[in-house]
Amino acid sequence: MSTAQTLLASVARDGCIACADAHQVAAQLGLSPEALGALVDEGGLYRFDRCQLGLFGYGQKGSPGYKIIQPAAFCPEDISRALTARTVDGRAPCRALWDVADEFRYPRLQIANIAQALGLKIKPCQLGCF
């Protein structure tokens, strides 16, 4: 078993690897998240869940709780501007939302909720899920 397979097996739960765990494994292996995503897809043993932006992986697919993202009731202007500046054709990359979260010291899920309220689509995913 390769190092990558061993690390993935160590974080997998019921055939799923949480987004946060996937990013940690990618860093340990010196891979980009996208490269790790391709490796996981290639192997076909696991799928990703518990997106850190709340987009998928919480309960049964198709159930109301599968996506936990909700439009934010309050959207600070500076964060809205930062998100809009990183948006192309109505889409903001996952990585851009993480950067805005770091810049403003906001939880990633809350930044995704603001993006949702602004009508932005979050794409592409760093792991290649969407």
Side-chain angles (χ1 to χ4, degrees), residues 53-94:
L53 296 176
L55 297 172
F56 66 88
Y58 297 88
Q60 289 289 359
K61 189 171 187 172
S63 70
Y66 187 69
K67 292 183 178 183
I68 60 172
I69 187 172
Q70 298 291 321
F74 173 69
C75 302
E77 286 185 40
D78 51 350
I79 293 175
S80 297
R81 278 193 303 274
L83 287 171
T84 302
R86 291 166 169 86
T87 301
V88 176
D89 296 327
R91 294 181 177 175
C94 166

Side-chain angles (χ1 to χ4, degrees), residues 6-13 16-18 21-22 24-25 28 50:
T6 301
L7 285 171
L8 290 169
S10 75
V11 298
R13 302 287 179 265
C16 296
I17 298 171
D21 292 335
Q24 184 178 37
V25 168
Q28 288 175 309
R50 294 181 308 244

Side-chain angles (χ1 to χ4, degrees), residues 8 14 49 52 70 72-73 85 90 98 102 107 114:
L8 290 169
D14 298 323
D49 72 351
Q52 293 181 69
Q70 298 291 321
W98 282 34
D102 290 344
I114 293 170

Side-chain angles (χ1 to χ4, degrees), residues 7 9 30-31 33 42 47 53-54 61 102 106 108 110 117 120:
L7 285 171
L31 296 173
E42 197 176 278
R47 64 182 180 83
L53 296 176
K61 189 171 187 172
D102 290 344
Y106 253 63
R108 290 175 180 156
Q110 188 59 28
L120 304 177

